[in-house]
Amino acid sequence: MTFKLTGIALAVAFAFATAAQAQTTQTPAKRDTAEPPRAEQSTSNRKAKDMEEERIEQQAKADKAKCDALKANAKDICMAEAKGKEKVAKAELDAKHATDKVKAERKVQETKAEATYEVAKQKCDDQKGEAKDACMKQARVDRDRAKGNAEKQADAKEEKRAATGGTAPASPDKPKKSY
């Protein structure tokens, strides 16, 4: 609870500080430095990303702390969920600031698949014998299917981008067509 309140207070303080900074900062008519205006934007973007990353880490600590009260496999499941949530949040943050959005979105989908798989593996540990084997097999199938879907979506987006005149990087594993 205190982590949430701290996070909210931090976000509100950051918003007010940013608004105050925006109101008091004046842009000179002529720049004396050789730095392009994008340098200021990238600095503020980096600070915002660092703040968001710090928030994600604080939330992960709070989620993991909730798991401490649990015992045995329930604790393992809780920890897998907390770690997965943190990894997905970080992947989404990276995707938000990435230059290659298609690749970043694919990574987010794969991270989600891996996180779901890790939780499913822990849940399978509650079972024994053939039931456990079947559960593990299903978890692997679900993970592989999710990763395959992410790959198909990324390939489709790259092909669409290439077809519309955008610049798509050449895929090293697919041969180029020659006409």
Side-chain angles (χ1 to χ4, degrees):
M1 180 76 178
T2 59
F3 287 115
K4 286 183 181 179
L5 290 175
T6 304
I8 292 170
L10 186 63
V12 170
F14 180 74
F16 281 111
T18 305
Q21 176 70 22
Q23 289 177 355
T24 60
T25 304
Q26 295 179 356
T27 308
K30 197 174 194 181
R31 290 187 179 265
D32 294 335
T33 62
E35 289 183 10
R38 296 224 180 245
E40 293 172 2
Q41 290 175 348
S42 67
T43 302
S44 67
N45 286 344
R46 184 174 47 240
K47 287 181 182 178
K49 184 178 178 183
D50 289 345
M51 292 282 291
E52 184 69 15
E53 203 167 276
E54 180 65 30
R55 185 196 62 77
I56 290 169
E57 289 176 8
Q58 290 296 325
Q59 182 64 43
K61 285 181 184 178
D63 290 343
K64 289 175 185 176
K66 290 178 187 175
C67 298
D68 289 340
L70 301 173
K71 303 264 185 214
N73 198 40
K75 183 174 183 175
D76 293 340
I77 293 169
C78 182
M79 289 297 283
E81 288 173 344
K83 288 177 184 178
K85 184 178 172 184
E86 178 184 17
K87 287 178 183 178
V88 169
K90 285 185 177 183
E92 288 174 341
L93 179 63
D94 289 343
K96 183 178 172 183
H97 296 283
T99 55
D100 187 357
K101 298 291 185 185
V102 174
K103 186 176 180 181
E105 184 59 34
R106 178 178 173 184
K107 184 177 180 190
V108 169
Q109 294 301 323
E110 288 177 352
T111 304
K112 286 180 181 179
E114 281 297 325
T116 304
Y117 173 68
E118 291 300 322
V119 172
K121 276 189 351 185
Q122 292 302 325
K123 288 181 179 179
C124 290
D125 280 347
D126 283 337
Q127 301 175 8
K128 298 200 184 303
E130 289 181 21
K132 181 177 180 177
D133 292 342
C135 180
M136 292 294 288
K137 183 177 180 180
Q138 185 62 44
R140 281 191 296 273
V141 167
D142 291 344
R143 178 198 58 192
D144 294 343
R145 184 177 297 134
K147 282 187 170 186
N149 288 341
E151 186 175 343
K152 285 178 187 176
Q153 288 175 355
D155 288 347
K157 286 180 183 179
E158 282 188 24
E159 287 176 12
K160 182 179 178 183
R161 185 170 63 178
T164 59
T167 56
S171 180
D173 51 288
K174 291 185 179 176
K176 292 184 178 180
K177 293 181 180 177
S178 59
Y179 294 99

